[in-house]
Amino acid sequence: MSGPEVYQLAQSPVTAHSFSPDKEQLAVSLNSNEVTIFSRKGGAWDPIDTLPDHDKLVTSIDWAPKTNRIVTCSQDRNAYVWTQVPDPQQGNALVWKPTLVLLRINRAATAVKWSPKEDKFAVASGARAIAVCSFDADNDWWVSKLLKKPIRSTVLSIDWHPNNVLLAAGSADFKARVFSAYVKDVDKKPAPSVWGEKLPFNTVCGEYSSTSGGWVHTVGFSPSGDVLAFASHDSSVTIVYPGATPTIISIKMSTLPYVALTWVSEQSIVAAGHDCQPMLFALTGDENQWRLIGSLDDSVSAPVASSPISNLRGGAPGARGGSGGASAIGRLNNEAFNRFKSADSRGGVSSPSLLQAQMTGSSSPVSAVSGSSTAVGGITEMMTVHQNTITSVRPYEFGHDGSVARVSTTGVDGKLVVWPVDFASAAANGAGAAGGLASKLAGMSIRR
């Protein structure tokens, strides 16, 4: 199987991303109040449009695969639904038009996601509430109903059940919950499921705690909707089989916490986060035999094939605001400036041998890479494709059997990576994956 596709979208963090239905365009939040639309051109992604209406950081994006609508939410407590319409000034061109959403929240919006039928969407928030939004054709806007009880803190993540009614939510009160988001005049009565039969709005169908009381960063339903998975800040991944007596399996990791996950089949999950590499978990026997298979990142044993870097703002590669090589900013284009710039964007340090000694518990620094020399002021580069926290994981391509063949990730390092879901490769990397980021830091290279 081919290796990952790597694209350096920007030198700034990528907060969220979502692909168009044909995968030829990409909407991203570059840690700002704008959404940038990229278009695939050859082996690179070039910016072609900007959605500018938010006032503060855009926290989440979801591009509907059937209706081709984009929904965005932001720390400004607003959400917009963007639809392509003919440009009134140029009839043959299309522009993105925002539609108002009445969220009725008084804190930042943290996550947004379309329902499977795309006739409504949910917005998580710091107001201890989830806004379930449907379209009001009479007033040409989206209106919301709020899921509130028993949420006690900021909702960090959401995911829809395939039946278009149930909604999973993970929050900072250490709980993962499953709610009924049934909206009259929008939804048909759902069929009975393992989550319940009678499902009026705001019914709590399940409530589950993280192993050691950590924030629940991410939640996800399995493709059938019969299993729930969530990852917490205590570095655990929990799988829930609901029922009269729920079966709850928790995998406690010694690595850094995961902040995003996605199901790739009914029996496997890809999770990623502060460890800078996507990890594959799978059910290997009965319900109680979930385990870590390994990492999708095999960059320790094989070089990663990178694609050309795209230019963020359309100028020449390397120009200020772009994502190319050396920055063309006159007198500041020197070794000291580049050192600080790299440390800011990559989290690099000037003494890699000392950092490795701290990670391994050694009393004295050791050589970062066998046969390499550590230069004073050198910048460390981890032996992972992503050089900083992975912020989101999404399905990218489906196989013939309906399982996810490739996933996409974006991170604080400004990279977009498309990974093949390769069980054999992940298993081969299992030993290194068990050690998490520490094992990768043990093989740091020095970038001059």
Side-chain angles (χ1 to χ4, degrees), residues 2-25:
S2 60
E5 299 175 14
V6 184
Y7 306 93
Q8 186 74 48
L9 295 180
Q11 293 297 336
S12 58
V14 179
T15 307
H17 80 284
S18 188
F19 282 93
S20 63
D22 60 3
K23 303 296 187 293
E24 291 300 314
Q25 292 187 347

Side-chain angles (χ1 to χ4, degrees), residues 349-372 374 380-383 437-446:
V349 295
S350 60
S351 180
S353 58
L354 177 60
L355 177 60
Q356 184 189 354
Q358 293 172 344
M359 293 295 295
T360 58
S362 174
S363 58
S364 60
V366 294
S367 175
V369 180
S370 176
S372 66
T374 303
T380 62
E381 184 168 303
M382 294 185 299
M383 298 298 289
L437 188 57
S439 66
K440 298 284 188 177
L441 287 172
M444 291 186 298
S445 63
I446 308 302

Side-chain angles (χ1 to χ4, degrees), residues 37-248:
I37 307 293
F38 286 83
S39 178
R40 187 194 298 271
K41 293 184 179 179
W45 292 91
D46 292 336
I48 59 170
D49 207 349
T50 301
L51 312 182
D53 283 32
H54 286 289
D55 296 327
K56 294 185 178 180
L57 174 69
V58 175
T59 53
S60 187
I61 305 167
D62 199 21
W63 199 324
K66 300 174 185 176
T67 57
N68 197 40
R69 294 180 298 199
I70 300 174
V71 60
T72 61
C73 69
S74 165
Q75 291 179 355
D76 62 8
R77 301 170 295 172
N78 289 320
Y80 293 104
V81 175
W82 304 82
T83 308
Q84 277 192 315
V85 297
D87 188 344
Q89 298 178 350
Q90 300 178 4
N92 58 346
L94 296 175
V95 294
W96 289 99
K97 175 187 175 183
T99 303
L100 179 65
V101 181
L102 301 180
L103 284 184
R104 300 188 295 125
I105 58 175
N106 58 7
R107 295 291 187 274
T110 56
V112 64
K113 194 157 190 178
W114 284 105
S115 68
K117 293 183 179 179
E118 300 175 13
D119 52 2
K120 58 184 180 179
F121 59 88
V123 181
S125 74
R128 299 185 296 177
I130 304 169
V132 179
C133 306
S134 56
F135 189 64
D136 181 355
D138 294 337
N139 294 297
D140 192 28
W141 59 27
W142 293 79
V143 295
S144 65
K145 293 181 67 176
L146 298 183
L147 296 168
K148 290 186 175 181
K149 295 181 179 180
I151 302 171
R152 294 289 178 266
S153 190
T154 299
V155 181
L156 301 173
S157 59
I158 50 177
D159 190 45
W160 284 97
H161 189 279
N163 70 2
N164 207 67
V165 171
L166 297 176
L167 182 70
S171 57
D173 60 4
F174 318 144
K175 302 287 187 181
R177 299 181 177 91
V178 176
F179 294 95
S180 170
Y182 177 83
V183 177
K184 189 178 180 181
D185 300 329
V186 175
D187 296 310
K188 295 180 180 179
K189 184 179 179 180
S193 70
V194 294
W195 299 101
E197 298 182 6
K198 295 183 179 180
L199 301 172
F201 188 81
N202 212 154
T203 299
V204 179
C205 303
E207 181 177 278
Y208 311 98
S209 299
S210 58
T211 307
S212 304
W215 291 2
V216 178
H217 287 294
T218 177
V219 294
F221 281 110
S222 66
S224 69
D226 292 342
V227 190
L228 177 71
F230 62 91
S232 311
H233 200 69
D234 59 357
S235 297
S236 67
V237 175
T238 303
I239 295 93
V240 178
Y241 291 85
T245 305
T247 300
I248 302 175

